[in-house]
Amino acid sequence: MASSRIFAPRGTQDGLPGEIRMKRFVESVFMEHCRCYGYHEAHTPVFEYSELFERGVGPVTDIVEKEMYTFTDKHGERLALRPEGTAALARTIIEHDLTKDLPLKLSYKITCYRQENPAEGRLREFHQIGAECYGSLLPQADSEVITLAYTALRAMGIRDLTLNINSLGCQSCRTSYINALVRYLLPHANSGELCSTCVSRMGRSPLRVMDCKNPSCREVAKKAPKLADFLCDDCRDHYEGVKASLDAVGIPYNEKNHLIRGLDYYERTVFEFKAGEGGANGTVCGGGRYDGLCARLGGPNIPAVGFAIGEERAIIAMRESGMEEIPPEKPLVYVASDAPSRASRGAARLRGLGVYAERDLMGLGLKAQIKAAKDCGARWLVITGEDGIRLTDLKTGAEQPMPTEAWDDVARAISE
Ligand code: ATP
Ligand code: MG
């Protein structure tokens, strides 16, 4: 009896080689930028105690309320698959006491899990690359991470990038803003213009209404009071400093008064990069400042600023910018023989010398192997026989005899 097929879970994406080549390219461009900017890679676990994200990201957020994969393990521990990277990285630096030698500049490359409605660029398992700077209150730290994100996204081949920035102020200027916001929102809630989630969040976290994706809530949000009008002097100075510093490096930006972003830990600067038309899933990067996060997680009071790029979304944007697929590497040499063990020995020797060498594994005769060498795009063909090696340049057809087992000479000849 035939068994029924099993498919990948909804919202996940298998990484076939073509896609993985794009991902590796994205990651290598990013990591190379991190190297030049001095952001060292750090790792955190795929799962954490749920409380870390509840406290870090905030209880009244889409991530925690709707999207987190939580489970209880055999010992009754409440755990969650990592929905984002920042809360875990902040926990790590507190736990390992890395907060003495500041600034601390870290980068990461992670899988994230969010139970969302799958769509193009919106997955349940996705990949983020990010960078975070801990310890600096200076606006130059904000502009450094923004510059890192911008130059990396450009180097990936993404054209048509828009940087939106805003300041959310600190806890104290935000309190007066929230009072004004609630006064503005109440009549709209009463007249049924806000979705039920926003109405239920109004008392606990009215800022979230500004980030709701529901079209009618967005209309209401557009006319809401502006945070910029409520900033205290320090926050205004900081925001002006960030803009001046971006001007100094020549990075264009739009001030977007209603940009909030969906995580509770942000204060002062928030930013996002949109690619192309920049629809709902066109945000390739999101970030901001989270000066209160470390303290909120029981650590010292250390300011921080950072961002995360969605790899899958970056790849969509690269393709929309006209970037071609990355072809697989072709073998440098194909090792053919009428004796399979001789081909094994030759291929192993060349591979041991760092050469990409192919050989037959399908039981082909010598003639068919020679055809296979041409078909796979190898640059060189080696035929290893009882009384010597024959090296053929498949581009020019030129042949060269070599002594038996002279694999070092072969490697030298084909690597020149
Ligand atoms: P969105 O508003 O699109 O839901 P977000 O505000 O939830 O994004 P962040 O939590 O700031 O996004 O994550 C940073 C980046 O990670 C996003 O800009 C995006 O590129 C990527 N990202 C977020 N959620 C997903 C997802 N479900 N699938 C793929 N990429 C995602
Ligand atoms: Mg989201």
Side-chain angles (χ1 to χ4, degrees):
M1 202 183 73
S3 301
S4 58
R5 285 169 63 191
I6 299 171
F7 295 90
R10 227 162 88 76
T12 65
Q13 215 172 49
D14 291 322
L16 301 183
E19 200 64 23
I20 295 301
R21 281 194 291 277
M22 291 292 255
K23 276 213 170 99
R24 290 291 169 263
F25 172 73
V26 163
E27 290 167 0
S28 67
V29 167
F30 181 66
M31 287 306 169
E32 179 55 19
H33 278 74
C34 286
R35 189 184 70 76
C36 295
Y37 280 76
Y39 287 72
H40 300 278
E41 188 175 349
H43 287 200
T44 64
V46 166
F47 58 90
E48 297 271 356
Y49 292 118
S50 311
E51 192 190 345
L52 173 69
F53 302 112
E54 287 157 5
R55 245 205 280 163
V57 175
V60 193
T61 54
D62 278 355
I63 291 181
V64 169
E65 276 192 332
K66 301 184 192 166
E67 298 169 357
M68 209 151 68
Y69 281 96
T70 49
F71 60 99
T72 307
D73 75 1
K74 282 185 195 157
H75 306 288
E77 303 278 21
R78 278 193 337 113
L79 299 164
L81 296 185
R82 166 177 64 202
E84 58 97 52
T86 297
L89 201 58
R91 176 200 55 70
T92 303
I93 68 159
I94 297 165
E95 190 161 334
H96 297 275
D97 225 4
L98 304 182
T99 54
K100 305 240 156 67
D101 193 10
L102 299 171
L104 175 69
K105 306 206 289 187
L106 299 173
S107 62
Y108 59 82
K109 191 171 78 194
I110 55 175
T111 43
C112 295
Y113 299 85
R114 295 185 193 176
Q115 227 163 130
E116 301 209 54
N117 283 333
E120 199 194 14
R122 194 168 291 282
L123 295 159
R124 291 182 173 176
E125 181 187 65
F126 60 99
H127 298 79
Q128 282 188 344
I129 40 184
E132 321 210 324
C133 175
Y134 287 86
S136 173
L137 272 167
L138 295 183
Q140 284 72 23
D142 307 52
S143 92
E144 178 169 287
V145 295
I146 294 174
T147 310
L148 166 55
Y150 176 78
T151 49
L153 290 166
R154 296 276 305 184
M156 287 168 202
I158 303 176
R159 309 280 155 249
D160 239 355
L161 268 178
T162 311
L163 165 62
N164 296 321
I165 61 168
N166 192 20
S167 175
L168 301 182
C170 59
Q171 296 300 343
S172 72
C173 35
R174 216 183 312 178
T175 307
S176 44
Y177 173 70
I178 284 174
N179 289 337
L181 180 64
V182 171
R183 268 200 306 279
Y184 165 79
L185 288 175
L186 267 176
H188 295 281
N190 292 337
S191 65
E193 287 163 82
L194 298 181
C195 73
S196 55
T197 307
C198 282
V199 171
S200 79
R201 284 173 172 180
M202 266 197 37
R204 293 173 299 160
S205 187
L207 265 188
R208 290 277 78 79
V209 177
M210 303 298 292
D211 194 42
C212 180
K213 292 189 173 73
N214 181 301
S216 144
C217 301
R218 284 177 101 124
E219 279 309 307
V220 174
K222 269 188 201 159
K223 300 196 190 81
K226 296 182 183 117
L227 256 158
D229 297 333
F230 291 81
L231 296 184
C232 65
D233 289 346
D234 282 352
C235 287
R236 190 181 313 282
D237 286 350
H238 182 86
Y239 188 42
E240 292 305 321
V242 174
K243 288 186 284 179
S245 185
L246 288 173
D247 291 337
V249 278
I251 294 186
Y253 55 84
N254 297 324
E255 287 184 70
K256 214 173 156 195
N257 286 317
H258 291 127
L259 180 66
I260 299 290
R261 302 215 51 76
L263 299 91
D264 270 358
Y265 51 59
Y266 287 131
E267 51 187 271
R268 290 197 167 171
T269 317
V270 280
F271 61 91
E272 63 182 12
F273 283 94
K274 290 198 174 266
E277 300 292 294
N281 302 346
T283 309
V284 291
C285 171
R289 188 167 262 288
Y290 30 94
D291 293 344
L293 178 61
C294 284
R296 213 201 280 197
L297 296 177
N301 203 1
I302 290 176
V305 58
F307 66 84
I309 292 171
E311 287 190 44
E312 287 81 359
R313 292 201 193 168
I315 291 171
I316 292 171
M318 283 154 57
R319 289 188 172 125
E320 280 171 359
S321 302
M323 166 130 179
E324 312 252 322
E325 300 303 310
I326 302 167
E329 187 185 347
K330 290 182 176 152
L332 183 62
V333 58
Y334 190 101
V335 182
S337 180
D338 51 6
S341 59
R342 255 204 305 275
S344 296
R345 197 164 55 240
R349 286 289 306 280
L350 290 171
R351 289 165 178 170
L353 294 166
V355 170
Y356 176 10
E358 223 16 293
R359 50 81 49 91
D360 168 56
L361 288 176
M362 302 303 286
L364 302 177
L366 187 59
K367 236 170 128 181
Q369 289 179 41
I370 294 169
K371 182 174 181 305
K374 293 174 182 158
D375 289 348
C376 75
R379 172 77 170 73
W380 300 87
L381 166 68
V382 149
I383 300 175
T384 164
E386 220 169 317
D387 42 356
I389 291 171
R390 202 168 74 218
L391 177 63
T392 308
D393 183 335
L394 289 175
K395 221 187 217 166
T396 63
E399 290 190 12
Q400 198 180 331
M402 287 187 162
T404 319
E405 301 297 322
W407 296 110
D408 291 326
D409 295 342
V410 171
R412 210 168 304 118
I414 64 180
S415 301
E416 269 165 11

